[in-house]
Amino acid sequence: MRRRTGVLAAALVLAGCVAACAGAGRQGSGAGDRDRLTPAQLAATNTQSLYDAIERLRPEWLTSRGPTSVTDATLTMPSVFMDGQLMGKVDYLRDLRITDVTFVRFWPAGQAAARFGMGHPRGVIEISRR
């Protein structure tokens, strides 16, 4: 009987660990979501441009990983899509006001390729405008 209780307790602990790990990797799980910014989060930055707000809240979205090729030393920056259209690189964000934005989401390179096509080695910042 004692051994069964020990095995059952170990199984419950293992199940709890698995559930916790699975929940930690979920996208869209609320305030801790590192791939999205809400209008409330943007407004809390007290900035005017979307670039400045992202720079404060998610600076890793705006960083370059350096050249993607030995023969091409051009730094790669994320592409910016607004309402499904390619707008350019991150400098475009300087012209957008945070009050004009419904949501902002970052898509890493692999997910960006699946959603927006190839050619976005540093990912995509997707914006929906009001």
Side-chain angles (χ1 to χ4, degrees):
M1 178 75 174
R2 221 178 156 139
R3 184 175 175 160
R4 274 188 175 166
T5 306
V7 171
L8 181 59
L12 288 174
V13 168
L14 180 61
C17 289
V18 168
C21 290
R26 253 186 231 141
Q27 295 295 321
S29 58
D33 193 350
R34 297 298 298 167
D35 291 339
R36 294 178 190 260
L37 289 173
T38 64
Q41 290 171 313
L42 295 171
T45 63
N46 293 323
T47 59
Q48 295 289 323
S49 78
L50 185 56
Y51 183 93
D52 293 337
I54 292 173
E55 190 173 45
R56 284 196 185 166
L57 296 170
R58 304 287 192 280
E60 65 274 10
W61 291 7
L62 302 173
T63 59
S64 170
R65 295 212 177 160
T68 57
S69 167
V70 176
T71 59
D72 183 9
T74 307
L75 298 179
T76 2
M77 299 296 287
S79 301
V80 176
F81 275 76
M82 185 168 63
D83 298 327
Q85 276 194 309
L86 177 63
M87 304 310 288
K89 298 294 181 190
V90 294
D91 287 335
Y92 180 78
L93 301 172
R94 294 181 192 277
D95 297 330
L96 290 176
R97 300 177 60 87
I98 60 171
T99 55
D100 296 336
V101 174
T102 305
F103 80 87
V104 182
R105 179 172 181 178
F106 179 76
W107 296 85
Q111 294 175 5
R115 183 166 177 94
F116 301 98
M118 300 301 288
H120 309 290
R122 184 54 186 99
V124 166
I125 297 174
E126 180 185 23
I127 302 161
S128 178
R129 197 166 186 180
R130 293 177 192 226

Short mmCIF file of all heavy atoms in Angstrom, two decimals, residues 64-130:
data_model
loop_
_atom_site.label_atom_id
_atom_site.label_comp_id
_atom_site.label_asym_id
_atom_site.label_seq_id
_atom_site.Cartn_x
_atom_site.Cartn_y
_atom_site.Cartn_z
N SER A 64 19.44 43.76 -34.51
CA SER A 64 19.91 43.02 -35.68
C SER A 64 20.77 41.87 -35.21
O SER A 64 21.43 41.95 -34.18
CB SER A 64 20.75 43.94 -36.57
OG SER A 64 21.39 43.18 -37.57
N ARG A 65 20.75 40.81 -35.94
CA ARG A 65 21.61 39.68 -35.62
C ARG A 65 22.84 39.68 -36.50
O ARG A 65 23.53 38.68 -36.60
CB ARG A 65 20.84 38.38 -35.81
CG ARG A 65 19.72 38.29 -34.84
CD ARG A 65 19.47 36.89 -34.46
NE ARG A 65 18.42 36.87 -33.46
CZ ARG A 65 17.70 35.84 -33.18
NH1 ARG A 65 17.90 34.73 -33.81
NH2 ARG A 65 16.78 35.91 -32.26
N GLY A 66 23.10 40.78 -37.14
CA GLY A 66 24.26 40.86 -38.00
C GLY A 66 23.98 40.35 -39.40
O GLY A 66 22.85 40.04 -39.75
N PRO A 67 25.03 40.27 -40.20
CA PRO A 67 24.87 39.82 -41.58
C PRO A 67 24.36 38.38 -41.65
O PRO A 67 24.68 37.58 -40.80
CB PRO A 67 26.27 39.92 -42.17
CG PRO A 67 27.08 40.68 -41.20
CD PRO A 67 26.39 40.62 -39.88
N THR A 68 23.59 38.08 -42.67
CA THR A 68 23.07 36.72 -42.85
C THR A 68 23.91 35.93 -43.84
O THR A 68 23.65 34.76 -44.06
CB THR A 68 21.62 36.74 -43.34
OG1 THR A 68 21.56 37.49 -44.55
CG2 THR A 68 20.70 37.34 -42.31
N SER A 69 24.92 36.58 -44.43
CA SER A 69 25.74 35.91 -45.43
C SER A 69 27.17 36.41 -45.34
O SER A 69 27.41 37.57 -44.97
CB SER A 69 25.17 36.20 -46.82
OG SER A 69 26.08 35.82 -47.82
N VAL A 70 28.11 35.58 -45.73
CA VAL A 70 29.51 35.99 -45.76
C VAL A 70 29.75 36.99 -46.87
O VAL A 70 30.54 37.92 -46.73
CB VAL A 70 30.42 34.75 -45.94
CG1 VAL A 70 31.87 35.16 -46.07
CG2 VAL A 70 30.24 33.78 -44.80
N THR A 71 29.03 36.86 -47.96
CA THR A 71 29.23 37.75 -49.10
C THR A 71 28.41 39.03 -49.02
O THR A 71 28.70 39.98 -49.72
CB THR A 71 28.88 37.02 -50.42
OG1 THR A 71 27.52 36.60 -50.36
CG2 THR A 71 29.79 35.84 -50.64
N ASP A 72 27.41 39.07 -48.16
CA ASP A 72 26.57 40.26 -48.00
C ASP A 72 26.64 40.71 -46.54
O ASP A 72 26.06 40.08 -45.66
CB ASP A 72 25.13 39.95 -48.38
CG ASP A 72 24.22 41.18 -48.30
OD1 ASP A 72 24.75 42.30 -48.11
OD2 ASP A 72 23.00 41.01 -48.45
N ALA A 73 27.34 41.80 -46.30
CA ALA A 73 27.56 42.27 -44.93
C ALA A 73 26.44 43.19 -44.44
O ALA A 73 26.56 43.82 -43.39
CB ALA A 73 28.89 42.99 -44.84
N THR A 74 25.34 43.26 -45.17
CA THR A 74 24.22 44.11 -44.77
C THR A 74 23.57 43.55 -43.51
O THR A 74 23.31 42.36 -43.40
CB THR A 74 23.16 44.16 -45.89
OG1 THR A 74 23.80 44.53 -47.10
CG2 THR A 74 22.06 45.14 -45.56
N LEU A 75 23.32 44.43 -42.53
CA LEU A 75 22.64 44.00 -41.31
C LEU A 75 21.18 43.73 -41.61
O LEU A 75 20.55 44.44 -42.38
CB LEU A 75 22.75 45.08 -40.23
CG LEU A 75 24.16 45.42 -39.76
CD1 LEU A 75 24.10 46.52 -38.72
CD2 LEU A 75 24.84 44.20 -39.19
N THR A 76 20.66 42.70 -41.00
CA THR A 76 19.26 42.36 -41.21
C THR A 76 18.41 42.87 -40.06
O THR A 76 18.74 42.65 -38.91
CB THR A 76 19.05 40.84 -41.28
OG1 THR A 76 20.24 40.18 -41.08
CG2 THR A 76 18.43 40.44 -42.54
N MET A 77 17.35 43.52 -40.40
CA MET A 77 16.41 44.02 -39.42
C MET A 77 15.05 43.39 -39.73
O MET A 77 14.81 42.95 -40.85
CB MET A 77 16.30 45.55 -39.51
CG MET A 77 17.61 46.28 -39.24
SD MET A 77 18.22 46.04 -37.56
CE MET A 77 17.09 47.03 -36.65
N PRO A 78 14.15 43.37 -38.75
CA PRO A 78 12.82 42.82 -39.01
C PRO A 78 12.08 43.62 -40.09
O PRO A 78 12.29 44.82 -40.24
CB PRO A 78 12.10 42.97 -37.67
CG PRO A 78 13.17 43.12 -36.67
CD PRO A 78 14.32 43.78 -37.37
N SER A 79 11.24 42.95 -40.82
CA SER A 79 10.36 43.60 -41.78
C SER A 79 9.11 44.06 -41.04
O SER A 79 8.75 43.50 -40.01
CB SER A 79 9.96 42.62 -42.89
OG SER A 79 11.10 42.13 -43.55
N VAL A 80 8.45 45.07 -41.58
CA VAL A 80 7.22 45.58 -40.98
C VAL A 80 6.07 45.38 -41.95
O VAL A 80 6.14 45.81 -43.11
CB VAL A 80 7.36 47.08 -40.61
CG1 VAL A 80 6.05 47.63 -40.08
CG2 VAL A 80 8.48 47.28 -39.60
N PHE A 81 5.02 44.73 -41.48
CA PHE A 81 3.79 44.55 -42.24
C PHE A 81 2.68 45.29 -41.51
O PHE A 81 2.56 45.21 -40.28
CB PHE A 81 3.41 43.07 -42.33
CG PHE A 81 4.08 42.34 -43.46
CD1 PHE A 81 5.40 41.97 -43.36
CD2 PHE A 81 3.37 42.01 -44.60
CE1 PHE A 81 6.02 41.29 -44.39
CE2 PHE A 81 3.99 41.33 -45.64
CZ PHE A 81 5.31 40.96 -45.53
N MET A 82 1.87 46.02 -42.25
CA MET A 82 0.71 46.69 -41.66
C MET A 82 -0.52 46.29 -42.44
O MET A 82 -0.56 46.47 -43.67
CB MET A 82 0.86 48.20 -41.64
CG MET A 82 -0.28 48.89 -40.91
SD MET A 82 0.01 50.61 -40.56
CE MET A 82 0.12 51.28 -42.20
N ASP A 83 -1.49 45.73 -41.75
CA ASP A 83 -2.73 45.29 -42.35
C ASP A 83 -2.48 44.40 -43.57
O ASP A 83 -3.12 44.53 -44.62
CB ASP A 83 -3.62 46.48 -42.73
CG ASP A 83 -4.04 47.28 -41.50
OD1 ASP A 83 -4.20 46.68 -40.42
OD2 ASP A 83 -4.19 48.51 -41.63
N GLY A 84 -1.47 43.51 -43.46
CA GLY A 84 -1.18 42.54 -44.49
C GLY A 84 -0.26 43.00 -45.61
O GLY A 84 0.05 42.24 -46.50
N GLN A 85 0.18 44.28 -45.59
CA GLN A 85 1.04 44.81 -46.63
C GLN A 85 2.44 45.08 -46.09
O GLN A 85 2.59 45.63 -45.00
CB GLN A 85 0.50 46.11 -47.18
CG GLN A 85 -0.53 45.95 -48.25
CD GLN A 85 -0.74 47.27 -48.95
OE1 GLN A 85 -0.97 48.28 -48.31
NE2 GLN A 85 -0.67 47.25 -50.28
N LEU A 86 3.46 44.73 -46.88
CA LEU A 86 4.84 45.01 -46.51
C LEU A 86 5.07 46.52 -46.58
O LEU A 86 4.85 47.15 -47.62
CB LEU A 86 5.80 44.28 -47.45
CG LEU A 86 7.29 44.55 -47.22
CD1 LEU A 86 7.72 44.07 -45.83
CD2 LEU A 86 8.11 43.87 -48.30
N MET A 87 5.52 47.10 -45.45
CA MET A 87 5.75 48.54 -45.39
C MET A 87 7.24 48.87 -45.43
O MET A 87 7.60 50.02 -45.64
CB MET A 87 5.13 49.13 -44.13
CG MET A 87 3.65 48.83 -43.98
SD MET A 87 2.65 49.21 -45.43
CE MET A 87 2.63 50.96 -45.42
N GLY A 88 8.10 47.90 -45.17
CA GLY A 88 9.54 48.16 -45.17
C GLY A 88 10.19 47.61 -43.92
O GLY A 88 9.77 46.60 -43.37
N LYS A 89 11.22 48.32 -43.46
CA LYS A 89 11.97 47.91 -42.27
C LYS A 89 11.51 48.73 -41.06
O LYS A 89 10.58 49.53 -41.14
CB LYS A 89 13.47 48.08 -42.50
CG LYS A 89 14.00 47.22 -43.61
CD LYS A 89 13.91 45.75 -43.26
CE LYS A 89 14.47 44.89 -44.39
NZ LYS A 89 14.21 43.49 -44.22
N VAL A 90 12.19 48.57 -39.94
CA VAL A 90 11.75 49.15 -38.67
C VAL A 90 11.71 50.68 -38.65
O VAL A 90 11.00 51.26 -37.84
CB VAL A 90 12.59 48.64 -37.48
CG1 VAL A 90 12.38 47.16 -37.28
CG2 VAL A 90 14.05 48.95 -37.67
N ASP A 91 12.42 51.34 -39.55
CA ASP A 91 12.36 52.80 -39.58
C ASP A 91 10.94 53.30 -39.87
O ASP A 91 10.58 54.41 -39.48
CB ASP A 91 13.32 53.36 -40.63
CG ASP A 91 14.77 53.26 -40.18
OD1 ASP A 91 15.01 53.21 -38.96
OD2 ASP A 91 15.65 53.21 -41.05
N TYR A 92 10.14 52.48 -40.53
CA TYR A 92 8.75 52.86 -40.81
C TYR A 92 7.98 53.09 -39.51
O TYR A 92 7.06 53.90 -39.46
CB TYR A 92 8.08 51.76 -41.64
CG TYR A 92 6.64 52.06 -41.96
CD1 TYR A 92 6.31 52.96 -42.97
CD2 TYR A 92 5.61 51.47 -41.25
CE1 TYR A 92 4.99 53.26 -43.26
CE2 TYR A 92 4.28 51.76 -41.53
CZ TYR A 92 3.99 52.65 -42.54
OH TYR A 92 2.68 52.96 -42.82
N LEU A 93 8.36 52.41 -38.45
CA LEU A 93 7.66 52.52 -37.17
C LEU A 93 7.78 53.92 -36.55
O LEU A 93 6.97 54.31 -35.73
CB LEU A 93 8.19 51.48 -36.17
CG LEU A 93 8.08 50.03 -36.60
CD1 LEU A 93 8.82 49.13 -35.62
CD2 LEU A 93 6.63 49.62 -36.75
N ARG A 94 8.80 54.66 -36.94
CA ARG A 94 9.00 56.02 -36.40
C ARG A 94 7.89 56.97 -36.84
O ARG A 94 7.60 57.95 -36.17
CB ARG A 94 10.35 56.58 -36.83
CG ARG A 94 11.52 55.83 -36.23
CD ARG A 94 12.85 56.45 -36.68
NE ARG A 94 13.97 55.61 -36.36
CZ ARG A 94 14.58 55.55 -35.18
NH1 ARG A 94 14.14 56.29 -34.19
NH2 ARG A 94 15.61 54.77 -34.99
N ASP A 95 7.25 56.67 -37.97
CA ASP A 95 6.20 57.55 -38.50
C ASP A 95 4.80 57.19 -38.00
O ASP A 95 3.84 57.90 -38.31
CB ASP A 95 6.20 57.49 -40.03
CG ASP A 95 7.51 58.01 -40.61
OD1 ASP A 95 8.13 58.88 -39.99
OD2 ASP A 95 7.90 57.53 -41.69
N LEU A 96 4.67 56.09 -37.26
CA LEU A 96 3.36 55.67 -36.75
C LEU A 96 3.15 56.13 -35.32
O LEU A 96 4.03 55.97 -34.48
CB LEU A 96 3.23 54.15 -36.81
CG LEU A 96 3.13 53.52 -38.18
CD1 LEU A 96 3.11 52.01 -38.05
CD2 LEU A 96 1.86 53.98 -38.88
N ARG A 97 1.97 56.66 -35.06
CA ARG A 97 1.63 57.06 -33.69
C ARG A 97 0.98 55.87 -32.98
O ARG A 97 0.23 55.12 -33.59
CB ARG A 97 0.67 58.25 -33.72
CG ARG A 97 1.26 59.47 -34.42
CD ARG A 97 0.29 60.60 -34.51
NE ARG A 97 -0.18 61.07 -33.23
CZ ARG A 97 0.44 62.00 -32.49
NH1 ARG A 97 1.54 62.54 -32.93
NH2 ARG A 97 -0.07 62.38 -31.34
N ILE A 98 1.26 55.74 -31.70
CA ILE A 98 0.73 54.60 -30.96
C ILE A 98 -0.80 54.65 -30.87
O ILE A 98 -1.43 53.61 -30.74
CB ILE A 98 1.36 54.47 -29.55
CG1 ILE A 98 1.09 55.71 -28.71
CG2 ILE A 98 2.83 54.17 -29.64
CD1 ILE A 98 1.49 55.56 -27.25
N THR A 99 -1.38 55.82 -30.98
CA THR A 99 -2.83 55.94 -30.91
C THR A 99 -3.52 55.41 -32.16
O THR A 99 -4.73 55.20 -32.15
CB THR A 99 -3.24 57.41 -30.69
OG1 THR A 99 -2.65 58.21 -31.72
CG2 THR A 99 -2.78 57.90 -29.32
N ASP A 100 -2.76 55.20 -33.23
CA ASP A 100 -3.33 54.69 -34.49
C ASP A 100 -3.27 53.17 -34.60
O ASP A 100 -3.67 52.61 -35.61
CB ASP A 100 -2.59 55.29 -35.69
CG ASP A 100 -2.77 56.79 -35.78
OD1 ASP A 100 -3.78 57.30 -35.25
OD2 ASP A 100 -1.90 57.45 -36.37
N VAL A 101 -2.75 52.51 -33.57
CA VAL A 101 -2.47 51.08 -33.65
C VAL A 101 -3.43 50.27 -32.79
O VAL A 101 -3.70 50.62 -31.64
CB VAL A 101 -1.02 50.81 -33.21
CG1 VAL A 101 -0.72 49.35 -33.13
CG2 VAL A 101 -0.06 51.51 -34.15
N THR A 102 -3.97 49.19 -33.37
CA THR A 102 -4.84 48.28 -32.63
C THR A 102 -4.05 47.21 -31.92
O THR A 102 -4.31 46.88 -30.78
CB THR A 102 -5.84 47.61 -33.59
OG1 THR A 102 -6.54 48.62 -34.30
CG2 THR A 102 -6.82 46.75 -32.84
N PHE A 103 -3.06 46.62 -32.61
CA PHE A 103 -2.18 45.65 -31.97
C PHE A 103 -0.86 45.58 -32.73
O PHE A 103 -0.76 45.97 -33.89
CB PHE A 103 -2.81 44.26 -31.87
CG PHE A 103 -2.75 43.45 -33.14
CD1 PHE A 103 -1.63 42.66 -33.42
CD2 PHE A 103 -3.78 43.46 -34.04
CE1 PHE A 103 -1.56 41.92 -34.59
CE2 PHE A 103 -3.73 42.72 -35.21
CZ PHE A 103 -2.61 41.95 -35.49
N VAL A 104 0.14 45.06 -32.04
CA VAL A 104 1.46 44.84 -32.63
C VAL A 104 1.88 43.44 -32.23
O VAL A 104 1.73 43.04 -31.07
CB VAL A 104 2.51 45.85 -32.11
CG1 VAL A 104 3.85 45.62 -32.77
CG2 VAL A 104 2.04 47.27 -32.30
N ARG A 105 2.42 42.70 -33.20
CA ARG A 105 2.88 41.35 -32.90
C ARG A 105 4.20 41.09 -33.61
O ARG A 105 4.39 41.53 -34.74
CB ARG A 105 1.86 40.33 -33.36
CG ARG A 105 2.32 38.91 -33.09
CD ARG A 105 1.29 37.89 -33.36
NE ARG A 105 1.89 36.59 -33.04
CZ ARG A 105 1.24 35.46 -33.13
NH1 ARG A 105 -0.02 35.46 -33.49
NH2 ARG A 105 1.84 34.33 -32.84
N PHE A 106 5.09 40.39 -32.93
CA PHE A 106 6.36 40.00 -33.53
C PHE A 106 6.30 38.53 -33.93
O PHE A 106 5.88 37.68 -33.14
CB PHE A 106 7.51 40.21 -32.54
CG PHE A 106 8.83 39.80 -33.11
CD1 PHE A 106 9.47 40.60 -34.03
CD2 PHE A 106 9.43 38.61 -32.75
CE1 PHE A 106 10.68 40.23 -34.59
CE2 PHE A 106 10.64 38.22 -33.29
CZ PHE A 106 11.28 39.04 -34.21
N TRP A 107 6.70 38.24 -35.16
CA TRP A 107 6.77 36.87 -35.67
C TRP A 107 8.24 36.54 -35.88
O TRP A 107 8.91 37.18 -36.69
CB TRP A 107 6.04 36.76 -37.00
CG TRP A 107 4.57 37.02 -36.94
CD1 TRP A 107 3.95 38.23 -36.99
CD2 TRP A 107 3.54 36.04 -36.79
NE1 TRP A 107 2.58 38.06 -36.89
CE2 TRP A 107 2.31 36.73 -36.77
CE3 TRP A 107 3.53 34.66 -36.69
CZ2 TRP A 107 1.09 36.08 -36.65
CZ3 TRP A 107 2.33 34.01 -36.57
CH2 TRP A 107 1.13 34.71 -36.54
N PRO A 108 8.78 35.55 -35.17
CA PRO A 108 10.17 35.12 -35.41
C PRO A 108 10.34 34.60 -36.84
O PRO A 108 9.35 34.29 -37.52
CB PRO A 108 10.40 33.99 -34.40
CG PRO A 108 9.27 34.07 -33.44
CD PRO A 108 8.15 34.79 -34.11
N ALA A 109 11.57 34.47 -37.29
CA ALA A 109 11.87 34.15 -38.69
C ALA A 109 11.11 32.94 -39.23
O ALA A 109 10.52 33.02 -40.31
CB ALA A 109 13.37 33.94 -38.86
N GLY A 110 11.10 31.83 -38.52
CA GLY A 110 10.42 30.63 -39.01
C GLY A 110 8.93 30.84 -39.17
O GLY A 110 8.34 30.47 -40.19
N GLN A 111 8.31 31.43 -38.17
CA GLN A 111 6.87 31.70 -38.24
C GLN A 111 6.56 32.77 -39.28
O GLN A 111 5.54 32.71 -39.97
CB GLN A 111 6.34 32.12 -36.88
CG GLN A 111 6.41 31.02 -35.84
CD GLN A 111 5.99 31.53 -34.46
OE1 GLN A 111 5.57 32.66 -34.29
NE2 GLN A 111 6.12 30.67 -33.47
N ALA A 112 7.46 33.75 -39.42
CA ALA A 112 7.27 34.81 -40.42
C ALA A 112 7.31 34.24 -41.82
O ALA A 112 6.52 34.63 -42.68
CB ALA A 112 8.32 35.89 -40.25
N ALA A 113 8.22 33.29 -42.06
CA ALA A 113 8.31 32.67 -43.38
C ALA A 113 7.03 31.91 -43.70
O ALA A 113 6.55 31.96 -44.84
CB ALA A 113 9.52 31.74 -43.44
N ALA A 114 6.47 31.24 -42.72
CA ALA A 114 5.23 30.48 -42.94
C ALA A 114 4.05 31.41 -43.19
O ALA A 114 3.17 31.11 -43.99
CB ALA A 114 4.95 29.58 -41.75
N ARG A 115 4.03 32.55 -42.52
CA ARG A 115 2.88 33.45 -42.63
C ARG A 115 3.01 34.47 -43.76
O ARG A 115 2.04 34.79 -44.44
CB ARG A 115 2.67 34.17 -41.30
CG ARG A 115 1.46 35.06 -41.30
CD ARG A 115 1.10 35.48 -39.90
NE ARG A 115 0.00 36.39 -39.88
CZ ARG A 115 -1.26 36.05 -39.72
NH1 ARG A 115 -1.58 34.79 -39.57
NH2 ARG A 115 -2.20 36.96 -39.71
N PHE A 116 4.22 35.03 -43.93
CA PHE A 116 4.41 36.13 -44.87
C PHE A 116 5.28 35.77 -46.08
O PHE A 116 5.49 36.61 -46.94
CB PHE A 116 5.04 37.34 -44.15
CG PHE A 116 4.22 37.85 -43.01
CD1 PHE A 116 4.51 37.48 -41.70
CD2 PHE A 116 3.14 38.69 -43.22
CE1 PHE A 116 3.77 37.95 -40.64
CE2 PHE A 116 2.38 39.16 -42.17
CZ PHE A 116 2.68 38.78 -40.87
N GLY A 117 5.82 34.57 -46.10
CA GLY A 117 6.70 34.16 -47.18
C GLY A 117 8.17 34.32 -46.81
O GLY A 117 8.51 34.88 -45.78
N MET A 118 9.01 33.82 -47.67
CA MET A 118 10.46 33.87 -47.43
C MET A 118 10.97 35.30 -47.56
O MET A 118 10.31 36.15 -48.12
CB MET A 118 11.19 32.96 -48.42
CG MET A 118 10.78 31.50 -48.34
SD MET A 118 11.05 30.77 -46.73
CE MET A 118 12.81 30.66 -46.73
N GLY A 119 12.18 35.52 -47.05
CA GLY A 119 12.80 36.84 -47.20
C GLY A 119 12.73 37.70 -45.96
O GLY A 119 12.94 38.90 -46.05
N HIS A 120 12.43 37.12 -44.81
CA HIS A 120 12.36 37.88 -43.57
C HIS A 120 13.23 37.17 -42.51
O HIS A 120 12.72 36.64 -41.54
CB HIS A 120 10.92 37.99 -43.08
CG HIS A 120 9.98 38.47 -44.13
ND1 HIS A 120 9.98 39.77 -44.60
CD2 HIS A 120 9.04 37.81 -44.85
CE1 HIS A 120 9.07 39.88 -45.54
NE2 HIS A 120 8.49 38.71 -45.72
N PRO A 121 14.56 37.16 -42.72
CA PRO A 121 15.44 36.38 -41.86
C PRO A 121 15.50 36.87 -40.41
O PRO A 121 15.91 36.12 -39.53
CB PRO A 121 16.81 36.51 -42.53
CG PRO A 121 16.74 37.76 -43.32
CD PRO A 121 15.30 37.88 -43.75
N ARG A 122 15.07 38.07 -40.14
CA ARG A 122 15.05 38.57 -38.77
C ARG A 122 13.64 38.64 -38.21
O ARG A 122 13.40 39.14 -37.14
CB ARG A 122 15.74 39.94 -38.73
CG ARG A 122 15.89 40.56 -37.38
CD ARG A 122 16.60 39.62 -36.39
NE ARG A 122 16.59 40.20 -35.08
CZ ARG A 122 15.73 39.89 -34.11
NH1 ARG A 122 14.82 38.98 -34.31
NH2 ARG A 122 15.79 40.47 -32.94
N GLY A 123 12.66 38.15 -38.96
CA GLY A 123 11.29 38.13 -38.49
C GLY A 123 10.47 39.28 -39.03
O GLY A 123 10.92 40.06 -39.86
N VAL A 124 9.25 39.39 -38.51
CA VAL A 124 8.30 40.41 -38.97
C VAL A 124 7.62 41.04 -37.77
O VAL A 124 7.24 40.35 -36.82
CB VAL A 124 7.23 39.77 -39.90
CG1 VAL A 124 6.05 40.70 -40.11
CG2 VAL A 124 7.84 39.39 -41.22
N ILE A 125 7.47 42.35 -37.81
CA ILE A 125 6.63 43.07 -36.86
C ILE A 125 5.33 43.37 -37.60
O ILE A 125 5.33 44.09 -38.60
CB ILE A 125 7.29 44.36 -36.36
CG1 ILE A 125 8.58 44.03 -35.61
CG2 ILE A 125 6.33 45.16 -35.49
CD1 ILE A 125 9.40 45.22 -35.20
N GLU A 126 4.25 42.76 -37.13
CA GLU A 126 2.94 42.93 -37.77
C GLU A 126 2.13 43.96 -36.98
O GLU A 126 2.06 43.90 -35.76
CB GLU A 126 2.19 41.61 -37.79
CG GLU A 126 0.84 41.70 -38.44
CD GLU A 126 0.05 40.41 -38.36
OE1 GLU A 126 0.33 39.57 -37.47
OE2 GLU A 126 -0.85 40.24 -39.18
N ILE A 127 1.51 44.87 -37.72
CA ILE A 127 0.73 45.94 -37.10
C ILE A 127 -0.66 45.95 -37.69
O ILE A 127 -0.84 45.76 -38.90
CB ILE A 127 1.38 47.32 -37.39
CG1 ILE A 127 2.80 47.34 -36.87
CG2 ILE A 127 0.56 48.45 -36.78
CD1 ILE A 127 3.63 48.42 -37.49
N SER A 128 -1.64 46.16 -36.85
CA SER A 128 -3.00 46.39 -37.32
C SER A 128 -3.36 47.82 -36.95
O SER A 128 -3.24 48.23 -35.79
CB SER A 128 -3.96 45.42 -36.66
OG SER A 128 -5.27 45.69 -37.09
N ARG A 129 -3.77 48.58 -37.94
CA ARG A 129 -4.08 49.99 -37.73
C ARG A 129 -5.57 50.20 -37.56
O ARG A 129 -6.37 49.48 -38.14
CB ARG A 129 -3.58 50.78 -38.94
CG ARG A 129 -3.46 52.23 -38.67
CD ARG A 129 -2.65 52.89 -39.75
NE ARG A 129 -2.45 54.26 -39.38
CZ ARG A 129 -1.79 55.11 -40.09
NH1 ARG A 129 -1.24 54.75 -41.21
NH2 ARG A 129 -1.66 56.35 -39.70
N ARG A 130 -5.93 51.18 -36.79
CA ARG A 130 -7.35 51.48 -36.55
C ARG A 130 -8.01 52.05 -37.77
O ARG A 130 -7.47 52.65 -38.60
CB ARG A 130 -7.49 52.51 -35.41
CG ARG A 130 -7.05 51.94 -34.12
CD ARG A 130 -7.12 52.98 -33.04
NE ARG A 130 -6.43 52.45 -31.89
CZ ARG A 130 -6.87 52.49 -30.66
NH1 ARG A 130 -7.99 53.08 -30.41
NH2 ARG A 130 -6.19 51.98 -29.69
#
